[in-house]
C-alpha cells in the first residue's frame, strides 16, 4: 500500500530518549509523519508520548551508562506498551531504534518493521557478544534496516541503508569565540579542548583524552585544558563548541557520532580516531584530523592549536542535516509500504 507523508502513522520505539532520537521525531513531524513514541529516559523536559523515568528509577540510575543490564531493564519494561500500541492503534509501520529493543519490535506481528541501529548494538560486545548477534538476527527479520556507517553495514548479514544521524543546522552554527567563552566561564587566555562525554563511558576513552591533552600542554606555549562537558542542556552545547579550540574524540567505536557533526556545524576543528564514519565526515575538512594511533591524536591536536584557526566543517555537514535525514527515512517508509 502506498501512502503520502500526511497520512503516515508510525510507532517509534527506542531504548532511551537520546537527543538524536528526539530530533528524528521532530523532523519527521515537520515532514507530516504522525509519530507516537515509546521509550524511557527523556533527555528533554516535557518529553513525548511515553517519555520519562517512572519504573525502578533508582536502580536504573545506579547502573546507567553502557551497562547491558541497564539497557535490558529499559527494553523489558517497554514491551507491554509496544504490544498494546500496535494492537490498538492503526499504525502503518513500527520503527525500532537501537538493537537493544529490536526483539521487542518483532514481538508484534501486525505491522511492517523498520530498524535503525546506532553503533555498539552491531559493533560492540555487550552481554559477552550476545547483543550484536541478536541484533544481526533481528535485522534479517525486519522489512528494512538503517545503519549509521559503512562499517556497520559491512557487519550485517543483510542489506542496509546508510543514513547518518542528522545535525540541527539552525541550532549548531558558528558564533564569536570570546563571547562564547564568557558565557561558559572559560579563560580566554587558555586553549580549551572539549570532551563532550561522560568520563565513565569506556568506549570514549577519557584516560586517553586526558593523557593526550597533558602531552599537548607540555608541547605548546599556552595553557591547554581538557574541558569535560557531559551535564549541560543540549540547547547550550553550541556555546561550548564555539568556546572550544578543538573537539577531541578518541573513541574505540562509533556509528556516526553526532558530536563530530555538531562541532563541524560550528566550524570547530576536530581531532578524532577513525571510528564510525569520521573519515567520511572529516575527510574534506580543513584543520581537522582523523588519527590511526594515540600518538597521532597528540600531533593532530598540536597542529590544530598552533594553527589558531577554525575549520570549514559547516560547508561539508549540510548533507547530514536533520532535514536530509528525515527525507531519507520518509522515503524508506514509503518504499516499505509499497511492497
Amino acid at each position: 500500500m502506498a501512502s503520502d507523508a500526511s497520512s503516515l502513522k508510525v510507532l517509534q520505539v527506542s531504548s532511551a530518549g537520546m537527543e538524536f532520537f528526539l530530533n528524528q521525531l521532530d523532523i519527521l513531524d515537520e515532514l507530516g509523519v504522525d509519530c507516537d513514541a515509546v521509550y524511557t529516559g527523556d533527555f528533554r523536559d516535557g518529553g513525548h508520548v511515553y517519555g520519562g523515568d517512572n519504573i525502578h528509577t533508582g536502580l536504573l540510575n545506579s547502573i546507567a551508562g553502557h551497562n547491558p543490564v541497564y539497557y535490558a531493564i529499559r527494553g523489558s519494561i517497554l514491551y507491554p506498551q509496544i504490544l498494546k500500541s500496535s494492537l490498538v492503534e492503526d499504525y502503518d509501520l513500527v520503527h525500532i531504534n537501537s538493537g537493544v529493543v529490536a526483539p521487542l519490535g518483532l514481538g508484534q506481528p501486525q505491522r511492517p518493521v523498520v530498524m535503525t541501529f546506532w553503533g555498539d548494538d552491531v559493533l560492540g560486545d555487550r552481554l559477552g557478544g550476545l547483543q550484536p548477534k541478536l541484533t544481526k538476527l533481528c535485522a534479517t527479520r525486519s522489512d528494512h534496516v538503517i545503519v549509521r556507517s559503512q562499517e556497520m553495514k559491512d557487519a550485517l548479514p543483510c542489506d542496509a541503508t546508510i543514513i547518518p544521524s542528522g545535525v540541527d543546522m539552525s541550532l549548531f552554527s558558528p558564533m564569536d569565540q570570546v563571547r562564547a567563552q564568557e558565557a561558559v566561564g572559560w579563560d580566554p587566555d587558555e586553549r580549551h579542548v572539549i570532551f563532550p562525554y561522560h568520563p565513565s563511558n569506556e568506549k570514549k576513552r577519557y584516560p586517553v583524552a586526558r593523557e593526550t591533552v597533558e602531552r599537548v600542554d607540555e608541547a605548546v606555549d599556552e595553557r591547554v585544558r581538557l574541558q569535560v562537558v557531559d551535564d549541560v542542556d543540549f540547547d547550550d552545547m553550541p556555546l561550548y563548541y564555539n568556546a572550544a579550540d578543538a573537539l577531541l574524540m578518541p573513541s574505540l567505536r562509533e556509528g556516526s557520532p553526532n558530536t563530530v557533526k555538531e562541532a563541524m556545524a560550528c566550524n570547530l576543528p576536530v581531532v578524532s580516531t577513525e571510528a564510525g564514519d569520521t573519515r567520511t565526515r572529516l575527510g574534506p575538512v580543513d584543520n581537522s584530523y582523523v588519527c590511526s594511533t594515540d600518538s597521532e591524536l597528540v600531533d593532530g591536536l598540536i597542529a590544530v592549536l598552533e594553527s589558531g584557526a577554525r575549520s570549514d566543517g559547516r560547508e561539508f555537514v549540510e548533507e547530514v542535516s536533520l532535514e536530509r535525514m528525515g527525507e531519507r527515512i520518509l522515503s524508506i517508509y514509503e518504499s516499505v509500504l509499497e511492497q
Side-chain angles (χ1 to χ4, degrees), residues 123-156:
L123 303 174
D125 57 359
R126 292 177 186 160
L127 298 177
L130 179 61
Q131 169 69 72
K133 290 180 181 178
L134 188 58
T135 297
K136 293 171 185 178
L137 175 62
C138 291
T140 63
R141 306 294 178 86
S142 64
D143 295 280
H144 201 104
V145 177
I146 299 170
V147 293
R148 303 305 197 196
S149 67
Q150 185 66 47
E151 181 184 16
M152 294 177 66
K153 180 175 180 177
D154 292 343
L156 290 177

Side-chain angles (χ1 to χ4, degrees), residues 24-172:
Q24 175 178 298
L25 298 181
D26 290 341
I27 194 62
L28 288 173
D29 178 69
E30 290 181 19
L31 291 173
V33 181
D34 183 6
C35 292
D36 285 345
V38 177
Y39 62 94
T40 62
D42 202 328
F43 279 54
R44 296 178 185 164
D45 293 333
H48 290 263
V49 177
Y50 298 110
D53 282 319
N54 52 25
I55 300 178
H56 307 310
T57 300
L59 173 61
L60 288 175
N61 288 341
S62 70
I63 59 174
H66 281 262
N67 187 318
V69 177
Y70 169 80
Y71 286 104
I73 294 174
R74 281 201 178 280
S76 66
I77 65 179
L78 293 178
Y79 183 65
Q81 295 174 355
I82 296 169
L83 187 59
K84 178 181 177 181
S85 298
S86 65
L87 289 172
V88 174
E89 297 290 339
D90 188 22
Y91 294 109
D92 293 290
L93 57 84
V94 176
H95 188 165
I96 301 296
N97 298 268
S98 171
V100 173
V101 289
L104 306 184
L106 297 177
Q108 62 75 38
Q110 293 80 21
R111 315 294 180 207
V113 176
V114 173
M115 292 191 180
T116 293
F117 301 133
W118 291 350
D120 254 13
D121 44 7
V122 174
L123 303 174
D125 57 359
R126 292 177 186 160
L127 298 177
L130 179 61
Q131 169 69 72
K133 290 180 181 178
L134 188 58
T135 297
K136 293 171 185 178
L137 175 62
C138 291
T140 63
R141 306 294 178 86
S142 64
D143 295 280
H144 201 104
V145 177
I146 299 170
V147 293
R148 303 305 197 196
S149 67
Q150 185 66 47
E151 181 184 16
M152 294 177 66
K153 180 175 180 177
D154 292 343
L156 290 177
C158 58
D159 194 21
T161 301
I162 302 172
I163 303 181
S165 51
V167 61
D168 187 342
M169 301 291 288
S170 63
L171 177 62
F172 293 94

Side-chain angles (χ1 to χ4, degrees), residues 1-3 8 10 92-93 112 332-339:
M1 114 185 172
S3 299
L8 281 179
V10 179
D92 293 290
L93 57 84
I332 287 173
Y333 291 169
E334 292 170 341
S335 68
V336 166
L337 294 174
E338 288 171 354
Q339 294 176 4

Side-chain angles (χ1 to χ4, degrees), residues 20 23-24 27 147-149 162-170 172 255-266 277-282 284-285 313-329:
F20 54 80
N23 285 339
Q24 175 178 298
I27 194 62
V147 293
R148 303 305 197 196
S149 67
I162 302 172
I163 303 181
S165 51
V167 61
D168 187 342
M169 301 291 288
S170 63
F172 293 94
S256 177
N258 268 32
T259 50
V260 168
K261 290 172 288 190
E262 290 160 1
M264 289 172 62
C266 296
D277 66 350
T278 51
R279 179 71 67 182
T280 300
R281 301 275 77 84
L282 295 172
V285 178
R314 188 172 180 84
E315 178 181 345
F316 300 99
V317 80
E318 180 68 40
E319 64 179 292
V320 287
S321 66
L322 280 179
E323 291 77 10
R324 180 63 181 136
M325 179 194 73
E327 290 167 356
R328 296 186 66 194
I329 292 174

